[in-house]
Amino acid sequence: MRGNQTSVSEFILLGFPLNPHMRMLLFGLFSLFYAFSLLSNGLILALICLDSRLHTPMYFFLSHLATMDMAYACNTVPQMLVNLLSPAKPISFAGCMTQTFLFLTLAISECLLLVVMSYDRYVAICHPLWYSAIMSWKVCIALVVTSWIAGFLLALVHLALLLPLPFCGAQKVNHFFCEILAVLKLACADTHINEVMLLSGAVSVLVGPFSSIVVSYIHILHAILRIRSGEGRQKAFSNCSSHLSVVGLFYGTAIVMYVGPQHEHVKDQKKYLLLFHSLFNPMLNPLIYSLRNKEVKNGLTRLFLKERTS
């Protein structure tokens, strides 16, 4: 095996096996989705920064979710668009490793941030009298910083295990970006440790947190059903349903990708699933929060009215 090893300087991303007309169609469509994702998340971020009424822990966490979604899309989508125009255009080894590292950092950080957001909703609904004391700004900042740092450190572990691996043969990554499982397939060495670490990492940041979110929402649902006011119950359901929709989209695709079976015949299907995870999730998240959240819609109305009158 080591006799065939070559010094790798670049990889070729195979992307999607499509004819030129379909590639151009998808390029235009995905470019629109990408632009909308950046604009909508940017608008949510700007709104939270500019509107003092949204300077609360819930929207502080939402601003970081929007930041992660923008970075998430910027890390994977531009390279995919380049590949749709020039399928044989390579990506450098350093660029590929950077893309893998950033993808893992942002994905893990978002997993943990969604847990933090569910905890925030749990405290707000189940312990409203203690909310201000429990969710102080010091605690909120600590929770967000912990999510970012944990994502960075766990991704660094996977990168440290990936970089020493030798690569040989044609360096063609069967994906639209440098996804870690697709890159590992090209290594001409035993990757058992990498795969075990990925599975254990996926269980720890996906299955464990998702289970805690489910438990939190069981308590939340029980508390909501005890609210006597119909308006209060509706507001609580509205805030929680937005977060639950985002959790379902994110965790559902991620668990299928990294915790489900890794058989060869389902890997192409998972590639398309990760397209949804990378392109559509960042686009849908601000829509879910803006369309289902009265405070965000009111904030947008105030912002546009202020722009018109100024």
Side-chain angles (χ1 to χ4, degrees):
M1 293 290 286
R2 291 188 176 272
N4 294 329
Q5 181 181 333
T6 58
S7 178
V8 176
S9 60
E10 58 187 28
F11 292 96
I12 294 176
L13 298 169
L14 297 181
F16 306 106
L18 302 167
N19 62 60
H21 295 294
M22 184 59 70
R23 285 203 303 268
M24 288 302 297
L25 177 63
L26 288 181
F27 175 82
L29 193 62
F30 290 168
S31 296
L32 288 175
F33 290 161
Y34 178 54
F36 180 80
S37 176
L38 295 183
L39 287 172
S40 55
N41 279 291
L43 181 61
I44 293 288
L45 193 58
L47 177 64
I48 293 170
C49 292
L50 296 173
D51 193 334
S52 59
R53 299 184 193 186
L54 299 181
H55 292 176
T56 63
M58 175 182 171
Y59 293 103
F60 174 67
F61 298 138
L62 181 57
S63 69
H64 281 270
L65 180 66
T67 302
M68 288 177 184
D69 282 339
M70 290 172 71
Y72 207 73
C74 289
N75 182 49
T76 57
V77 179
Q79 185 65 50
M80 179 181 67
L81 295 176
V82 168
N83 289 345
L84 285 171
L85 289 179
S86 305
K89 189 175 180 64
I91 180 173
S92 68
F93 180 84
C96 187
M97 295 299 109
T98 301
Q99 195 177 54
T100 301
F101 173 71
L102 289 176
F103 173 79
L104 290 172
T105 298
L106 293 166
I108 295 168
S109 298
E110 188 161 336
C111 281
L112 300 177
L113 182 65
L114 290 173
V115 177
V116 170
M117 293 175 76
S118 72
Y119 176 68
D120 172 70
R121 292 299 84 208
Y122 166 76
V123 176
I125 293 171
C126 297
H127 304 285
L129 299 178
W130 293 93
Y131 182 77
S132 297
I134 296 173
M135 299 303 294
S136 65
W137 280 112
K138 186 181 291 186
V139 170
C140 292
I141 292 169
L143 289 171
V144 166
V145 170
T146 300
S147 299
W148 281 104
I149 291 176
F152 175 83
L153 293 177
L154 289 172
L156 198 60
V157 170
H158 292 301
L159 184 67
L161 292 172
L162 179 64
L163 285 175
L165 292 176
F167 294 91
C168 36
Q171 302 309 312
K172 295 181 179 179
V173 181
N174 185 22
H175 221 290
F176 60 88
F177 76 104
C178 287
E179 192 270 332
I180 188 166
L181 289 174
V183 174
L184 282 175
K185 285 185 63 180
L186 304 179
C188 52
D190 185 11
T191 60
H192 179 69
I193 294 177
N194 302 73
E195 291 166 5
V196 168
M197 286 297 294
L198 273 173
L199 181 59
S200 60
V203 170
S204 63
V205 300
L206 289 174
V207 178
F210 182 71
S211 301
S212 70
I213 291 174
V214 170
V215 171
S216 295
Y217 271 96
I218 290 172
H219 289 287
I220 288 171
L221 181 62
H222 183 65
I224 289 175
L225 293 175
R226 288 186 299 172
I227 298 175
R228 294 182 180 181
S229 165
E231 185 180 349
R233 195 182 299 119
Q234 185 179 3
K235 183 178 179 181
F237 267 123
S238 176
N239 287 339
C240 293
S241 62
S242 297
H243 181 248
L244 272 177
S245 301
V246 172
V247 166
L249 287 171
F250 186 89
Y251 276 91
T253 53
I255 288 173
V256 172
M257 272 296 304
Y258 294 103
V259 182
Q262 299 296 327
H263 300 307
E264 199 67 33
H265 68 279
V266 299
K267 287 193 176 178
D268 277 342
Q269 298 172 14
K270 289 187 175 184
K271 180 168 68 173
Y272 292 100
L273 187 63
L274 201 54
L275 172 66
F276 182 91
H277 195 65
S278 301
L279 182 63
F280 295 105
N281 271 13
M283 181 183 69
L284 291 174
N285 286 354
L287 282 177
I288 291 170
Y289 276 103
S290 60
L291 291 178
R292 298 180 65 87
N293 192 303
K294 186 180 291 186
E295 289 177 328
V296 172
K297 287 189 284 188
N298 290 341
L300 286 170
T301 303
R302 288 192 298 269
L303 182 63
F304 286 127
L305 287 176
K306 185 178 178 180
E307 287 295 325
R308 285 185 178 184
T309 55
S310 61

